[in-house]
Amino acid sequence: YNKSAATSLPGFTITGLVSSDTGTVTRKYTGVDWTKSCASGGGCEVGDTGPGGGTIFYISPTVIDSATGISSGGTYLEVAPLGWWGSAGETTSAWAKVQTSVTGTSAAIGSGAENTRLITTALTTNAVAAKTAADLVLNGKSDWFLPSTQEVKEMYDALYAPVLAGNLTQRNYWSSTQGSATAQADTYWFGSGGLVSPTDKLNSFTARPIRAYSPDTITTTTVPTNADSYTVT
């Protein structure tokens, strides 16, 4: 819908009626609840403050970043706010205490949660950045994880480069993606142009956990007139 009522309504066919049977069809339109604020679980735009107190930086058409024990996934990606670790400003840490390779990680958007699960499973207490993200409870949310390389890049492209929101600073941010060498993991430079760099896992760099969630929905039997995506059932 593009701010005007639908020009044609969904059609339904009922078969198998016998004798005096009758059928009734009710159209229900389910979409994002824009009556609520983004911070309250309603509809969001990139740059809005999300329910976890962070900033929305990516909106997916489908549910992403679902990983057992880490995240149930969702269509919105929210980056934790500055000072998420309990004190003002950014903090730095190693990616891990060892340089052991973690197999199966991906750089793609939507893979950060599974990367985090793989890291914490493979390295257990030797995981640092990913374990810190997975253990985080912030503003009542406990589904944080370390973003993949492309998810960190999206934070740069959507928030940092246009100076939109998020209080991201010019420095290297850890990703949850294994680097090209066993001893390395990807960092992303938040400076002019942005840059991915395979970096020694024992080095200390900044990390910003993210979370994935879906907004609350609202269902109506009235034909919608607001611009949005609706599922008709």
Side-chain angles (χ1 to χ4, degrees), residues 103-159:
T103 59
T105 66
S106 169
I109 289 178
S111 62
E114 177 62 10
N115 289 351
T116 299
R117 188 192 69 80
L118 291 169
I119 295 165
T120 54
T121 299
L123 303 183
T124 61
T125 57
N126 284 320
V128 181
K131 188 176 187 305
T132 301
D135 290 346
L136 177 65
V137 178
L138 182 65
N139 294 319
K141 308 301 179 184
S142 59
D143 53 355
W144 302 92
F145 52 88
L146 193 64
S148 68
T149 304
Q150 289 301 311
E151 287 168 340
V152 180
K153 181 181 184 299
E154 190 64 27
M155 289 157 50
Y156 175 89
D157 290 341
L159 301 179

Side-chain angles (χ1 to χ4, degrees), residues 146-233:
L146 193 64
S148 68
T149 304
Q150 289 301 311
E151 287 168 340
V152 180
K153 181 181 184 299
E154 190 64 27
M155 289 157 50
Y156 175 89
D157 290 341
L159 301 179
Y160 179 84
V163 196
L164 180 59
N167 291 314
L168 297 156
T169 54
Q170 184 172 302
R171 57 181 63 212
N172 279 301
Y173 286 86
W174 279 123
S175 79
S176 56
T177 306
Q178 167 75 35
S180 54
T182 296
Q184 297 175 331
D186 284 350
T187 58
Y188 197 89
W189 167 244
F190 277 44
S192 179
L195 180 67
V196 179
S197 297
T199 306
D200 191 314
K201 294 174 181 176
L202 303 182
N203 289 344
S204 287
F205 287 109
T206 304
R208 280 284 190 100
I210 69 172
R211 61 185 294 265
Y213 76 97
S214 291
D216 294 340
T217 58
I218 190 169
T219 299
T220 178
T221 57
T222 304
V223 180
T225 57
N226 293 327
D228 200 1
S229 295
Y230 295 88
T231 300
V232 184
T233 58

Side-chain angles (χ1 to χ4, degrees), residues 5-17:
T7 55
S8 61
L9 298 177
F12 299 88
T13 301
I14 299 176
T15 61
L17 300 181

